[in-house]
mmCIF file of all heavy atoms in Angstrom:
data_model
loop_
_atom_site.group_PDB
_atom_site.id
_atom_site.type_symbol
_atom_site.label_atom_id
_atom_site.label_comp_id
_atom_site.label_asym_id
_atom_site.label_seq_id
_atom_site.Cartn_x
_atom_site.Cartn_y
_atom_site.Cartn_z
ATOM 1 N N LEU X 83 142.780 274.433 8.637
ATOM 2 C CA LEU X 83 143.534 274.367 7.381
ATOM 3 C C LEU X 83 142.858 275.226 6.318
ATOM 4 O O LEU X 83 143.512 275.906 5.529
ATOM 5 C CB LEU X 83 143.636 272.921 6.876
ATOM 6 C CG LEU X 83 144.615 271.985 7.575
ATOM 7 C CD1 LEU X 83 144.503 270.573 6.998
ATOM 8 C CD2 LEU X 83 146.053 272.475 7.416
ATOM 9 N N ARG X 84 141.538 275.182 6.300
ATOM 10 C CA ARG X 84 140.789 275.998 5.324
ATOM 11 C C ARG X 84 141.052 277.480 5.555
ATOM 12 O O ARG X 84 141.256 278.234 4.608
ATOM 13 C CB ARG X 84 139.273 275.750 5.450
ATOM 14 C CG ARG X 84 138.835 274.409 4.933
ATOM 15 C CD ARG X 84 137.384 274.184 5.274
ATOM 16 N NE ARG X 84 136.498 274.888 4.366
ATOM 17 C CZ ARG X 84 135.207 275.117 4.629
ATOM 18 N NH1 ARG X 84 134.679 274.736 5.782
ATOM 19 N NH2 ARG X 84 134.459 275.741 3.762
ATOM 20 N N ARG X 85 141.044 277.868 6.824
ATOM 21 C CA ARG X 85 141.300 279.282 7.138
ATOM 22 C C ARG X 85 142.712 279.677 6.717
ATOM 23 O O ARG X 85 142.928 280.743 6.158
ATOM 24 C CB ARG X 85 141.139 279.526 8.640
ATOM 25 C CG ARG X 85 139.712 279.802 9.020
ATOM 26 C CD ARG X 85 139.618 280.451 10.408
ATOM 27 N NE ARG X 85 138.443 279.956 11.095
ATOM 28 C CZ ARG X 85 138.460 279.084 12.087
ATOM 29 N NH1 ARG X 85 139.593 278.608 12.549
ATOM 30 N NH2 ARG X 85 137.331 278.698 12.629
ATOM 31 N N ALA X 86 143.669 278.769 6.993
ATOM 32 C CA ALA X 86 145.060 279.051 6.643
ATOM 33 C C ALA X 86 145.206 279.195 5.127
ATOM 34 O O ALA X 86 145.853 280.124 4.641
ATOM 35 C CB ALA X 86 145.965 277.933 7.162
ATOM 36 N N ALA X 87 144.584 278.288 4.382
ATOM 37 C CA ALA X 87 144.694 278.318 2.917
ATOM 38 C C ALA X 87 144.087 279.593 2.353
ATOM 39 O O ALA X 87 144.610 280.188 1.409
ATOM 40 C CB ALA X 87 144.001 277.088 2.323
ATOM 41 N N ALA X 88 142.969 280.022 2.958
ATOM 42 C CA ALA X 88 142.305 281.229 2.474
ATOM 43 C C ALA X 88 143.164 282.466 2.740
ATOM 44 O O ALA X 88 143.190 283.396 1.940
ATOM 45 C CB ALA X 88 140.932 281.375 3.134
ATOM 46 N N SER X 89 143.903 282.433 3.841
ATOM 47 C CA SER X 89 144.741 283.586 4.179
ATOM 48 C C SER X 89 145.986 283.622 3.291
ATOM 49 O O SER X 89 146.662 284.641 3.204
ATOM 50 C CB SER X 89 145.143 283.532 5.654
ATOM 51 O OG SER X 89 146.191 282.603 5.849
ATOM 52 N N LEU X 90 146.294 282.502 2.660
ATOM 53 C CA LEU X 90 147.402 282.455 1.704
ATOM 54 C C LEU X 90 146.787 282.620 0.317
ATOM 55 O O LEU X 90 145.672 283.073 0.181
ATOM 56 C CB LEU X 90 148.128 281.102 1.827
ATOM 57 C CG LEU X 90 148.753 280.835 3.201
ATOM 58 C CD1 LEU X 90 149.013 279.360 3.393
ATOM 59 C CD2 LEU X 90 150.050 281.644 3.331
ATOM 60 N N ASP X 91 147.506 282.210 -0.709
ATOM 61 C CA ASP X 91 146.928 282.382 -2.042
ATOM 62 C C ASP X 91 146.463 281.055 -2.627
ATOM 63 O O ASP X 91 146.455 280.862 -3.834
ATOM 64 C CB ASP X 91 147.954 283.049 -2.964
ATOM 65 C CG ASP X 91 147.285 283.611 -4.216
ATOM 66 O OD1 ASP X 91 146.116 284.033 -4.103
ATOM 67 O OD2 ASP X 91 147.911 283.589 -5.285
ATOM 68 N N MET X 92 146.048 280.125 -1.758
ATOM 69 C CA MET X 92 145.688 278.800 -2.247
ATOM 70 C C MET X 92 144.260 278.721 -2.759
ATOM 71 O O MET X 92 143.903 277.796 -3.480
ATOM 72 C CB MET X 92 145.887 277.768 -1.141
ATOM 73 C CG MET X 92 147.343 277.647 -0.719
ATOM 74 S SD MET X 92 147.596 276.396 0.559
ATOM 75 C CE MET X 92 147.353 274.877 -0.382
ATOM 76 N N GLY X 93 143.430 279.682 -2.350
ATOM 77 C CA GLY X 93 142.019 279.609 -2.719
ATOM 78 C C GLY X 93 141.279 278.664 -1.790
ATOM 79 O O GLY X 93 141.830 278.176 -0.801
ATOM 80 N N GLU X 94 140.023 278.398 -2.126
ATOM 81 C CA GLU X 94 139.192 277.502 -1.317
ATOM 82 C C GLU X 94 139.805 276.102 -1.262
ATOM 83 O O GLU X 94 140.191 275.558 -2.304
ATOM 84 C CB GLU X 94 137.806 277.382 -1.940
ATOM 85 C CG GLU X 94 136.835 278.478 -1.577
ATOM 86 C CD GLU X 94 136.361 278.353 -0.136
ATOM 87 O OE1 GLU X 94 135.903 277.268 0.246
ATOM 88 O OE2 GLU X 94 136.477 279.349 0.601
ATOM 89 N N VAL X 95 139.854 275.497 -0.093
ATOM 90 C CA VAL X 95 140.348 274.131 0.005
ATOM 91 C C VAL X 95 139.298 273.168 -0.545
ATOM 92 O O VAL X 95 138.127 273.243 -0.197
ATOM 93 C CB VAL X 95 140.682 273.759 1.468
ATOM 94 C CG1 VAL X 95 140.919 272.268 1.602
ATOM 95 C CG2 VAL X 95 141.911 274.513 1.918
ATOM 96 N N GLN X 96 139.725 272.304 -1.438
ATOM 97 C CA GLN X 96 138.803 271.349 -2.030
ATOM 98 C C GLN X 96 138.822 270.019 -1.280
ATOM 99 O O GLN X 96 137.788 269.477 -0.972
ATOM 100 C CB GLN X 96 139.133 271.184 -3.504
ATOM 101 C CG GLN X 96 139.123 272.569 -4.169
ATOM 102 C CD GLN X 96 139.213 272.524 -5.650
ATOM 103 O OE1 GLN X 96 140.003 271.783 -6.209
ATOM 104 N NE2 GLN X 96 138.404 273.325 -6.306
ATOM 105 N N ASP X 97 140.006 269.514 -1.027
ATOM 106 C CA ASP X 97 140.074 268.328 -0.181
ATOM 107 C C ASP X 97 141.372 268.272 0.600
ATOM 108 O O ASP X 97 142.356 268.909 0.244
ATOM 109 C CB ASP X 97 139.830 267.033 -0.971
ATOM 110 C CG ASP X 97 140.708 266.908 -2.190
ATOM 111 O OD1 ASP X 97 141.939 266.917 -2.034
ATOM 112 O OD2 ASP X 97 140.170 266.785 -3.303
ATOM 113 N N VAL X 98 141.319 267.514 1.676
ATOM 114 C CA VAL X 98 142.486 267.313 2.542
ATOM 115 C C VAL X 98 142.646 265.805 2.743
ATOM 116 O O VAL X 98 141.668 265.102 2.986
ATOM 117 C CB VAL X 98 142.293 267.991 3.923
ATOM 118 C CG1 VAL X 98 143.481 267.702 4.830
ATOM 119 C CG2 VAL X 98 142.094 269.489 3.778
ATOM 120 N N THR X 99 143.869 265.333 2.571
ATOM 121 C CA THR X 99 144.149 263.908 2.729
ATOM 122 C C THR X 99 145.227 263.720 3.784
ATOM 123 O O THR X 99 146.277 264.351 3.719
ATOM 124 C CB THR X 99 144.685 263.320 1.397
ATOM 125 O OG1 THR X 99 143.762 263.617 0.363
ATOM 126 C CG2 THR X 99 144.879 261.814 1.497
ATOM 127 N N VAL X 100 144.966 262.875 4.757
ATOM 128 C CA VAL X 100 145.961 262.540 5.766
ATOM 129 C C VAL X 100 146.241 261.046 5.632
ATOM 130 O O VAL X 100 145.347 260.220 5.844
ATOM 131 C CB VAL X 100 145.461 262.851 7.191
ATOM 132 C CG1 VAL X 100 146.525 262.509 8.220
ATOM 133 C CG2 VAL X 100 145.069 264.312 7.315
ATOM 134 N N ARG X 101 147.453 260.716 5.231
ATOM 135 C CA ARG X 101 147.776 259.312 5.051
ATOM 136 C C ARG X 101 148.577 258.808 6.241
ATOM 137 O O ARG X 101 149.677 259.284 6.513
ATOM 138 C CB ARG X 101 148.582 259.117 3.763
ATOM 139 C CG ARG X 101 148.688 257.640 3.422
ATOM 140 C CD ARG X 101 149.587 257.291 2.281
ATOM 141 N NE ARG X 101 149.654 258.211 1.190
ATOM 142 C CZ ARG X 101 149.779 257.822 -0.077
ATOM 143 N NH1 ARG X 101 149.786 256.549 -0.393
ATOM 144 N NH2 ARG X 101 149.913 258.719 -1.022
ATOM 145 N N GLY X 102 148.002 257.872 6.984
ATOM 146 C CA GLY X 102 148.689 257.308 8.143
ATOM 147 C C GLY X 102 149.186 255.909 7.840
ATOM 148 O O GLY X 102 148.864 255.337 6.803
ATOM 149 N N GLU X 103 149.976 255.379 8.756
ATOM 150 C CA GLU X 103 150.535 254.028 8.569
ATOM 151 C C GLU X 103 149.453 252.969 8.442
ATOM 152 O O GLU X 103 149.548 252.065 7.630
ATOM 153 C CB GLU X 103 151.399 253.660 9.778
ATOM 154 C CG GLU X 103 152.872 253.867 9.584
ATOM 155 C CD GLU X 103 153.631 253.543 10.860
ATOM 156 O OE1 GLU X 103 153.034 253.644 11.953
ATOM 157 O OE2 GLU X 103 154.824 253.204 10.755
ATOM 158 N N ARG X 104 148.428 253.078 9.297
ATOM 159 C CA ARG X 104 147.388 252.046 9.310
ATOM 160 C C ARG X 104 146.079 252.511 8.692
ATOM 161 O O ARG X 104 145.338 251.706 8.129
ATOM 162 C CB ARG X 104 147.124 251.583 10.745
ATOM 163 C CG ARG X 104 148.244 250.720 11.324
ATOM 164 C CD ARG X 104 147.886 250.176 12.687
ATOM 165 N NE ARG X 104 147.709 251.228 13.686
ATOM 166 C CZ ARG X 104 148.715 251.799 14.358
ATOM 167 N NH1 ARG X 104 149.951 251.426 14.126
ATOM 168 N NH2 ARG X 104 148.486 252.741 15.242
ATOM 169 N N GLN X 105 145.788 253.796 8.803
ATOM 170 C CA GLN X 105 144.531 254.319 8.264
ATOM 171 C C GLN X 105 144.769 255.670 7.599
ATOM 172 O O GLN X 105 145.630 256.437 8.040
ATOM 173 C CB GLN X 105 143.498 254.504 9.381
ATOM 174 C CG GLN X 105 143.010 253.214 10.016
ATOM 175 C CD GLN X 105 142.063 253.472 11.185
ATOM 176 O OE1 GLN X 105 141.653 254.603 11.448
ATOM 177 N NE2 GLN X 105 141.730 252.426 11.906
ATOM 178 N N SER X 106 143.984 255.930 6.567
ATOM 179 C CA SER X 106 144.060 257.229 5.906
ATOM 180 C C SER X 106 142.670 257.843 5.869
ATOM 181 O O SER X 106 141.665 257.125 5.862
ATOM 182 C CB SER X 106 144.583 257.070 4.476
ATOM 183 O OG SER X 106 145.859 256.475 4.493
ATOM 184 N N PHE X 107 142.629 259.166 5.839
ATOM 185 C CA PHE X 107 141.343 259.858 5.845
ATOM 186 C C PHE X 107 141.365 260.957 4.790
ATOM 187 O O PHE X 107 142.303 261.754 4.744
ATOM 188 C CB PHE X 107 141.086 260.452 7.239
ATOM 189 C CG PHE X 107 139.680 260.930 7.446
ATOM 190 C CD1 PHE X 107 138.622 260.027 7.477
ATOM 191 C CD2 PHE X 107 139.398 262.281 7.610
ATOM 192 C CE1 PHE X 107 137.312 260.467 7.668
ATOM 193 C CE2 PHE X 107 138.086 262.721 7.804
ATOM 194 C CZ PHE X 107 137.044 261.804 7.835
ATOM 195 N N VAL X 108 140.353 260.948 3.928
ATOM 196 C CA VAL X 108 140.218 261.999 2.922
ATOM 197 C C VAL X 108 138.942 262.749 3.233
ATOM 198 O O VAL X 108 137.901 262.122 3.479
ATOM 199 C CB VAL X 108 140.057 261.434 1.486
ATOM 200 C CG1 VAL X 108 140.164 262.546 0.458
ATOM 201 C CG2 VAL X 108 141.071 260.350 1.209
ATOM 202 N N CYS X 109 138.999 264.060 3.227
ATOM 203 C CA CYS X 109 137.776 264.803 3.470
ATOM 204 C C CYS X 109 137.613 265.909 2.454
ATOM 205 O O CYS X 109 138.586 266.448 1.920
ATOM 206 C CB CYS X 109 137.753 265.327 4.900
ATOM 207 S SG CYS X 109 138.046 267.057 5.072
ATOM 208 N N ARG X 110 136.367 266.192 2.145
ATOM 209 C CA ARG X 110 136.054 267.222 1.177
ATOM 210 C C ARG X 110 134.984 268.141 1.753
ATOM 211 O O ARG X 110 133.947 267.669 2.232
ATOM 212 C CB ARG X 110 135.533 266.581 -0.111
ATOM 213 C CG ARG X 110 135.321 267.590 -1.204
ATOM 214 C CD ARG X 110 134.799 267.017 -2.490
ATOM 215 N NE ARG X 110 134.614 268.115 -3.410
ATOM 216 C CZ ARG X 110 135.553 268.580 -4.211
ATOM 217 N NH1 ARG X 110 136.722 268.008 -4.259
ATOM 218 N NH2 ARG X 110 135.307 269.624 -4.998
ATOM 219 N N ALA X 111 135.232 269.437 1.694
ATOM 220 C CA ALA X 111 134.244 270.390 2.182
ATOM 221 C C ALA X 111 133.059 270.423 1.214
ATOM 222 O O ALA X 111 133.240 270.463 0.000
ATOM 223 C CB ALA X 111 134.872 271.778 2.294
ATOM 224 N N LEU X 112 131.835 270.370 1.762
ATOM 225 C CA LEU X 112 130.631 270.464 0.932
ATOM 226 C C LEU X 112 130.088 271.886 0.941
ATOM 227 O O LEU X 112 129.475 272.339 -0.013
ATOM 228 C CB LEU X 112 129.546 269.520 1.462
ATOM 229 C CG LEU X 112 129.821 268.014 1.359
ATOM 230 C CD1 LEU X 112 128.684 267.243 1.999
ATOM 231 C CD2 LEU X 112 130.005 267.596 -0.092
ATOM 232 N N SER X 113 130.293 272.557 2.053
ATOM 233 C CA SER X 113 129.798 273.927 2.226
ATOM 234 C C SER X 113 130.608 274.552 3.358
ATOM 235 O O SER X 113 131.554 273.957 3.860
ATOM 236 C CB SER X 113 128.306 273.905 2.587
ATOM 237 O OG SER X 113 128.138 273.344 3.883
ATOM 238 N N GLU X 114 130.192 275.720 3.785
ATOM 239 C CA GLU X 114 130.856 276.362 4.929
ATOM 240 C C GLU X 114 130.758 275.486 6.177
ATOM 241 O O GLU X 114 131.612 275.533 7.050
ATOM 242 C CB GLU X 114 130.168 277.703 5.229
ATOM 243 C CG GLU X 114 130.624 278.856 4.352
ATOM 244 C CD GLU X 114 132.118 279.114 4.473
ATOM 245 O OE1 GLU X 114 132.580 279.372 5.596
ATOM 246 O OE2 GLU X 114 132.829 279.016 3.450
ATOM 247 N N ASP X 115 129.681 274.710 6.239
ATOM 248 C CA ASP X 115 129.364 274.028 7.489
ATOM 249 C C ASP X 115 129.557 272.513 7.498
ATOM 250 O O ASP X 115 129.619 271.907 8.559
ATOM 251 C CB ASP X 115 127.905 274.323 7.881
ATOM 252 C CG ASP X 115 127.664 275.813 8.022
ATOM 253 O OD1 ASP X 115 128.539 276.478 8.587
ATOM 254 O OD2 ASP X 115 126.613 276.304 7.559
ATOM 255 N N TYR X 116 129.584 271.897 6.305
ATOM 256 C CA TYR X 116 129.619 270.441 6.263
ATOM 257 C C TYR X 116 130.757 269.892 5.407
ATOM 258 O O TYR X 116 131.170 270.526 4.438
ATOM 259 C CB TYR X 116 128.288 269.900 5.708
ATOM 260 C CG TYR X 116 127.117 270.177 6.606
ATOM 261 C CD1 TYR X 116 126.301 271.285 6.390
ATOM 262 C CD2 TYR X 116 126.829 269.339 7.687
ATOM 263 C CE1 TYR X 116 125.235 271.576 7.229
ATOM 264 C CE2 TYR X 116 125.763 269.614 8.522
ATOM 265 C CZ TYR X 116 124.966 270.726 8.298
ATOM 266 O OH TYR X 116 123.926 270.993 9.132
ATOM 267 N N PHE X 117 131.196 268.696 5.758
ATOM 268 C CA PHE X 117 132.160 267.985 4.924
ATOM 269 C C PHE X 117 131.794 266.510 4.854
ATOM 270 O O PHE X 117 131.020 266.004 5.679
ATOM 271 C CB PHE X 117 133.596 268.162 5.439
ATOM 272 C CG PHE X 117 133.890 267.486 6.755
ATOM 273 C CD1 PHE X 117 134.455 266.214 6.785
ATOM 274 C CD2 PHE X 117 133.629 268.115 7.961
ATOM 275 C CE1 PHE X 117 134.747 265.588 8.005
ATOM 276 C CE2 PHE X 117 133.906 267.496 9.172
ATOM 277 C CZ PHE X 117 134.461 266.235 9.193
ATOM 278 N N VAL X 118 132.353 265.850 3.843
ATOM 279 C CA VAL X 118 132.180 264.410 3.717
ATOM 280 C C VAL X 118 133.578 263.793 3.754
ATOM 281 O O VAL X 118 134.526 264.365 3.221
ATOM 282 C CB VAL X 118 131.389 264.060 2.427
ATOM 283 C CG1 VAL X 118 132.087 264.581 1.177
ATOM 284 C CG2 VAL X 118 131.163 262.553 2.308
#
Side-chain angles (χ1 to χ4, degrees):
Chain X
L83 284 176
R84 288 172 79 197
R85 274 197 216 106
S89 78
L90 299 161
D91 196 32
M92 296 182 72
E94 276 288 308
V95 168
Q96 305 189 316
D97 52 59
V98 177
T99 306
V100 181
R101 191 187 325 216
E103 262 177 334
R104 287 185 296 277
Q105 293 176 8
S106 301
F107 192 67
V108 190
C109 106
R110 186 180 178 88
L112 293 177
S113 68
E114 278 301 302
D115 302 318
Y116 294 96
F117 69 95
V118 58

